[in-house]
């Protein structure tokens, strides 16, 4: 299944500029264009679940990386 993999650098307040990465994946069938994925990630990164998952680290949405995969997860 084709999908987008999105990497968002994270940092823990008081530590070095980058201390981790949070990943999101989205099916290409629901998000055929890169711009749609970027918009969805910018929305999803601030959800309560995403914030809890990264344990208080801050997401650097200006440094997101979006990668297209046309193979299985």
């Amino acid at each position: 299944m084709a999908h987008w993999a999105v990497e968002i650098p994270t940092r823990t307040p008081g530590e070095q500029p980058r201390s981790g990465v949070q990943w999101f994946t989205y099916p290409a069938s629901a998000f055929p264009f890169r711009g749609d994925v970027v918009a969805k990630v910018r929305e999803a990164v601030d959800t309560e679940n995403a914030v809890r998952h990264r344990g208080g680290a801050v997401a650097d949405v200006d440094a997101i990386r979006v990668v297209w995969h046309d193979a299985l997860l």
Side-chain angles (χ1 to χ4, degrees), residues 56-72:
V58 177
D60 184 359
V61 294
D62 293 328
I64 65 173
R65 192 179 97 166
V66 180
V67 180
W68 170 260
H69 292 276
D70 56 6
L72 295 175

Side-chain angles (χ1 to χ4, degrees), residues 4-25:
W4 298 97
V6 182
E7 172 188 321
I8 303 172
T10 61
R11 61 181 168 76
T12 302
E15 292 187 7
Q16 294 296 322
R18 181 176 173 178
S19 58
V21 175
Q22 187 169 25
W23 287 92
F24 290 83
T25 57

